[in-house]
Amino acid sequence: MGCCSGRVRVVLETSGLSSLERQKPPLLDLWTMDRDLSDEDSVVDLSFEAESPLAPPAELLERLPSYDCLFQGGGRQIFFPPLEAPGRPEEPRCWSSFLEQSRVPVVTEEVAREALLSFVNSKCCYGSTAAGDLIIQELKQQTLCRYRLETFSESRISEWTFQPFTKHSVDGPQRGTSPRLWDIKVQVPPMFQEDIRKFQVPHSSLVKECHKCHGRGRYKCSGCHGAGMVRCPSCCGAKRRAKQPRRCQMCSGCGRRRCSTCSGRGNKTCATCKGEKKLLHFIQLVIMWKNSVFEFVSEHRLNCPGELLAKAKGENLFKDENTVVYPLVDFPLREISLASQRGLAQHSAALASRARVLQQRQTIELIPLTEVHYWYQGKTNVYYIYGTDHSVYAADYPERYCWGCTII
């Protein structure tokens, strides 16, 4: 929903508060307060403009008993999600059946040459003669494992915000008690797709006079002090420019020009209430769905850059998706088992008490990697073929005509 930029992010806690603590004045995260005026409005008469309020209206707090802990504390915190009982670990898997079913095709000399020719033809400044004439001497092949963990989570925070009141119905505390943030039901986006949505908390609205213009809807322009006219910048009000007998052409000899700040009106529409004179204050729920990703590629003995292998296309070996997934402690490759444990531990530590985990997914992919040794015009060199789509990395290809092309 569209709101004014002036808002204050507030603090939420789930722990119980004593009556003494609830009597403390609310502390707000002041750095999140946005200015309500654009650069064009920054020159208005400050005597007619109050600062944004440092706290929500007292009437709003008094009428929201379900949010009595909303403004306690001094830091920026996320509302803690409700605790959920952990699930039961899964049974051990038989990895031999997975490995037997997944076989990566062997790269032959013919495939290696075709992959290089396809790569060269995609480059505007690479010649294809070398790719066709070079002699392939040796193929060193290795299959890597890439582990990937995704954790899709939801977090909720609240903001006290306001917008111009346009005389529509007000959903205030008199209509009922506002629900707790995690009790508000919303439509969850597709799993593992990030999104941010904002909702107005039911029964949390209150109409107040605009704090910027004090209910006037407009304020006096400081550029012309309400006159609508300013001194001509060309002749400085003298009606004639220095050492020139003719009258000033910019002001037509009157010495004044129409104020460009207010277009000659002498006042400006309040940027906070948009001239409506009143503001609708309410609690806004901000829901963030985030997909946290952890990736690991098993160690290899070849000199192909690791960042290429992280993006390479692979063959799916294993996929596990559930509300909670568990470490792959019995995978034959120990470094993959350790990566699984490390990734789950990192996500758990990062999201604990801050977000609710909706879904997790972990996968293992097989990535073929081939190091091709070749001879061409008396020199030996190498290039790499990686991924199931036979992508090529040839940093020292001998037939290049410029340095402006991307190697990969």
Side-chain angles (χ1 to χ4, degrees):
M1 61 184 300
C3 300
C4 280
S5 61
R7 62 178 183 268
V8 179
R9 184 148 301 188
V10 297
V11 175
L12 293 169
E13 297 179 355
T14 55
S15 58
L17 298 173
S18 65
S19 59
L20 180 59
E21 289 174 323
R22 293 175 182 175
Q23 294 174 2
K24 294 179 180 179
L27 300 177
L28 301 172
D29 204 359
L30 300 183
W31 67 270
T32 58
M33 295 180 58
D34 300 329
R35 283 197 54 82
D36 293 298
L37 298 178
S38 64
D39 293 339
E40 182 185 357
D41 297 324
S42 61
V43 295
V44 297
D45 190 347
L46 296 181
S47 63
F48 283 78
E49 184 180 10
E51 292 294 331
S52 296
L54 300 182
E59 299 92 329
L60 184 58
L61 296 182
E62 293 172 358
R63 299 178 190 179
L64 294 177
S66 61
Y67 281 79
D68 54 0
C69 62
L70 188 62
F71 302 97
Q72 302 293 332
R76 180 185 179 192
Q77 300 179 12
I78 298 177
F79 195 75
F80 292 174
L83 297 177
E84 298 180 357
R88 298 180 60 183
E90 298 182 0
E91 298 295 328
R93 302 176 180 87
C94 181
W95 292 107
S96 58
S97 60
F98 286 100
L99 296 173
E100 290 173 359
Q101 296 174 6
S102 299
R103 302 269 183 190
V104 177
V106 176
V107 175
T108 63
E109 288 191 15
E110 182 180 359
V111 173
R113 191 179 300 275
E114 289 179 354
L116 181 60
L117 282 169
S118 177
F119 166 77
V120 168
N121 290 333
S122 67
K123 304 295 181 181
C124 63
C125 301
Y126 279 43
S128 60
T129 302
D133 295 345
L134 59 81
I135 299 175
I136 295 179
Q137 298 176 319
E138 184 181 7
L139 299 174
K140 293 184 178 181
Q141 303 188 35
Q142 185 177 356
T143 300
L144 311 178
C145 288
R146 179 173 60 200
Y147 172 80
R148 178 183 176 94
L149 171 67
E150 297 175 86
T151 300
F152 188 60
S153 61
E154 174 185 326
S155 60
R156 299 188 176 194
I157 62 175
S158 72
E159 292 177 339
W160 165 62
T161 187
F162 50 82
Q163 65 183 21
F165 177 60
T166 55
K167 298 179 176 60
H168 55 75
S169 60
V170 179
D171 184 17
Q174 69 278 3
R175 294 193 176 184
T177 302
S178 296
R180 295 288 181 176
L181 293 192
W182 284 100
D183 294 335
I184 299 176
K185 304 298 183 182
V186 298
Q187 182 67 38
V188 179
M191 291 297 170
F192 307 105
Q193 292 187 18
E194 295 186 341
D195 197 5
I196 298 178
R197 297 179 192 171
K198 297 181 179 182
F199 305 90
Q200 182 174 334
V201 174
H203 317 317
S204 67
S205 301
L206 181 67
V207 177
K208 292 282 291 182
E209 179 184 90
C210 177
H211 55 270
K212 285 287 187 179
C213 64
H214 303 289
R216 296 185 181 94
R218 309 184 69 84
Y219 46 78
K220 187 170 67 174
C221 173
S222 66
C224 61
H225 301 287
M229 302 290 288
V230 295
R231 186 168 56 181
C232 176
S234 179
C235 65
C236 300
K239 303 181 181 181
R240 286 180 171 81
R241 301 189 65 177
K243 300 180 181 180
Q244 292 187 8
R246 300 177 59 184
R247 66 181 182 179
C248 176
Q249 295 182 352
M250 182 174 289
C251 64
S252 300
C254 67
R256 302 182 68 81
R257 285 179 53 84
R258 186 175 65 175
C259 177
S260 60
T261 303
C262 64
S263 301
R265 292 190 301 268
N267 55 66
K268 299 194 68 177
T269 301
C270 177
T272 300
C273 68
K274 309 298 183 185
E276 299 293 341
K277 303 180 181 180
K278 293 183 179 181
L279 296 174
L280 180 71
H281 297 259
F282 58 90
I283 303 300
Q284 181 169 257
L285 168 64
V286 182
I287 304 181
M288 294 166 287
W289 290 278
K290 182 180 179 181
N291 189 39
S292 304
V293 179
F294 173 89
E295 283 187 332
F296 173 80
V297 179
S298 61
E299 185 179 358
H300 59 91
R301 299 179 299 274
L302 306 179
N303 293 325
C304 185
E307 59 270 18
L308 300 181
L309 301 177
K311 301 176 182 178
K313 291 184 178 180
E315 179 183 345
N316 291 325
L317 172 66
F318 170 76
K319 178 181 178 181
D320 178 21
E321 182 174 333
N322 213 324
T323 304
V324 177
V325 297
Y326 294 91
L328 308 177
V329 295
D330 52 350
F331 191 74
L333 194 60
R334 177 170 171 75
E335 57 181 328
I336 294 296
S337 296
L338 294 176
S340 174
Q341 299 175 45
R342 187 166 63 252
L344 287 166
Q346 288 182 9
H347 283 192
S348 177
L351 300 174
S353 301
R354 289 183 166 271
R356 178 169 58 186
V357 175
L358 302 180
Q359 196 84 345
Q360 285 187 306
R361 178 170 63 194
Q362 57 182 348
T363 59
I364 298 177
E365 294 176 286
L366 299 180
I367 303 175
L369 174 62
T370 303
E371 185 178 70
V372 183
H373 292 253
Y374 65 90
W375 181 90
Y376 181 72
Q377 293 184 348
K379 296 181 180 180
T380 59
N381 218 322
V382 298
Y383 66 90
Y384 296 91
I385 303 173
Y386 61 95
T388 55
D389 57 347
H390 294 160
S391 298
V392 171
Y393 173 72
D396 299 314
Y397 185 70
E399 198 174 357
R400 293 206 313 252
Y401 302 115
C402 77
W403 298 98
C405 296
T406 305
I407 295 177
I408 57 174

